[in-house]
Amino acid sequence: DCRLRGLGRQLMEHSLDYMTDQGYDVSLLFGITDYYHKFGYRPAGCESSVTMTVPDALHAEPGGFAVGAFRRADLPAAVRLHVRTDAALPMTFVRPKVYWEHLFPRFKAARTLREGGRTASVLGAKLVAAWHGEVADGVYVVRQVVTQPKAQVMSSLVAQCARAAKRAGAE
């Protein structure tokens, strides 16, 4: 409801004036990459992507993980996975719980992988991966992912994303 009313611009202009008045030498900002350039910001972090065809991705080993919906109760485990993975990488950012709570509504279609096999009850089963994928311009795009950095989990994640893409009729 607040978009396109100039509030973001006012906030940015006020913030930049404040930082200038206070003598800040550097400011870093994380957000919408095609918005903040208006205020002199440029992308500076790492950005990566992997592209594969659905037929190729379907060759990935699906593993013996239970697949299910991402629930609010999964947030603490997802945050732990994210922090553990990011701790091993340079230039990554630990996000507070409030960040994940804020993002949760965007992940209505997010999925999970849990230990215990396909027939295991997902209640109490250990979360090993979670992702949010969606179809954009005929392509299945994974926008957010947290996972254990293990080959079997990664292979299963790729296989499940390929299956979701195929069901959606995406490439």
Side-chain angles (χ1 to χ4, degrees):
D1 292 343
C2 294
R3 295 196 72 174
L4 301 174
R5 294 176 46 201
L7 299 174
R9 176 173 289 284
Q10 289 176 26
L11 178 62
M12 285 301 300
E13 289 171 352
H14 175 77
S15 297
L16 291 169
D17 288 344
Y18 175 83
M19 288 185 286
T20 299
D21 292 345
Q22 296 297 313
Y24 285 80
D25 294 316
V26 176
S27 66
L28 302 173
L29 181 60
F30 306 96
I32 306 167
T33 56
D34 62 348
Y35 178 75
Y36 296 104
H37 67 279
K38 301 174 196 177
F39 305 101
Y41 287 89
R42 299 289 178 259
C46 299
E47 190 168 315
S48 63
S49 66
V50 175
T51 303
M52 62 186 74
T53 66
V54 171
D56 286 341
L58 285 170
H59 290 293
E61 176 59 44
F65 299 102
V67 181
F70 188 77
R71 303 175 314 247
R72 186 171 294 279
D74 293 323
L75 280 173
V79 170
R80 283 192 299 274
L81 281 174
H82 190 275
V83 169
R84 190 177 309 130
T85 302
D86 277 6
L89 302 171
M91 289 294 295
T92 60
F93 311 98
V94 176
R95 295 175 172 105
K97 182 180 177 187
V98 68
Y99 169 85
W100 293 99
E101 289 285 341
H102 169 74
L103 284 184
F104 182 78
R106 295 184 191 175
F107 301 141
K108 291 178 183 166
R111 308 295 289 161
T112 61
L113 292 178
R114 297 175 190 282
E115 288 183 343
R118 297 176 193 274
T119 59
S121 166
V122 293
L123 295 175
K126 183 178 177 183
L127 181 76
V128 295
W131 76 97
H132 174 251
E134 62 191 18
V135 177
D137 298 323
V139 176
Y140 185 78
V141 179
V142 178
R143 302 238 183 251
Q144 189 80 355
V145 64
V146 293
T147 183
Q148 286 184 353
K150 295 180 179 175
Q152 184 182 17
V153 175
M154 297 300 292
S155 180
S156 185
L157 178 64
V158 168
Q160 295 303 330
C161 288
R163 289 176 176 177
K166 186 175 179 180
R167 281 192 302 273
E171 293 296 320

